[in-house]
Amino acid sequence: MPSSATTCAPSCGKNQTTILRLLTERRDDLVHERTRVLNRLHAVLRDLLPGGAPTGLSADKAAALMKGIRPVTATDNCRRDIARDLLADLRRLDRQVKDNEAEMRETIAATRTTLTTLPGLGTVLAAKVIGHIGNISRFPTEHHFASYTGSAPLDASSGNNVRHRLNTGGKPRAELGPAHHRRLPDPRRRARAGLLPAQDR
């Protein structure tokens, strides 16, 4: 737990913490929907343009590509209309994501947190940390905080090596924890599932 930055100032209210959590969850929904719309638009343009649309497609790039489309068949006309609708949806989602992040910045400023002064920690990640952790002063020590986030070290039985133990529950593991904090399927169970009865015996 870095001493140079605080998750949330002591005056940070529960309302601000809850608002940030709601805003980050809303942003996740918007980003997922934007990705779906963008993929669909890319697929439609692939059928309208020779060679398809390039990677790294954006609303402005898609609009520029669509200006050169000259439908010949009724099917292509339908595809173009769908592409226009998808482009409108993409622009709307871009605006909503931008407005969402602006609201995050305003709420983060009200908490007087210094998290955003840390290198590489921007608005969205700071909002997620505050939204799911809140006032960090509620943890007596850094060890309590590490236990809460599922990153508390545990001495290995083989010697003095230290490894990270798995968090047994709680939201921080799902929302903030890295991939190695998530429970993986047992490979032995997967291997046995594909055996024939005779081989299993």
Side-chain angles (χ1 to χ4, degrees), residues 27-97:
R27 183 184 184 278
D28 288 342
D29 291 339
L30 290 172
V31 170
H32 292 158
E33 178 63 14
R34 182 187 182 279
T35 301
R36 188 193 67 81
V37 170
L38 188 61
N39 289 340
R40 183 60 187 147
L41 177 59
H42 201 284
V44 174
L45 291 178
R46 180 188 59 203
D47 295 329
L48 286 171
L49 298 169
T55 57
L57 191 65
S58 65
D60 291 338
K61 291 180 180 179
L65 291 172
M66 290 171 60
K67 289 180 180 179
I69 295 176
R70 297 293 182 268
V72 177
T73 66
T75 302
D76 286 343
N77 271 316
C78 181
R79 288 193 178 103
R80 184 189 59 182
D81 293 341
I82 292 175
R84 286 174 176 172
D85 291 341
L86 291 170
L87 178 59
D89 291 340
L90 183 61
R91 291 193 183 281
R92 171 181 55 81
L93 289 165
D94 284 341
R95 289 193 301 269
Q96 288 180 303
V97 170

Side-chain angles (χ1 to χ4, degrees), residues 15 38 87 115 119 122 131 133 164 167 185 191 196:
N15 287 341
L38 188 61
L87 178 59
L115 264 181
I133 293 176
H164 291 285
N167 189 354
L196 296 175

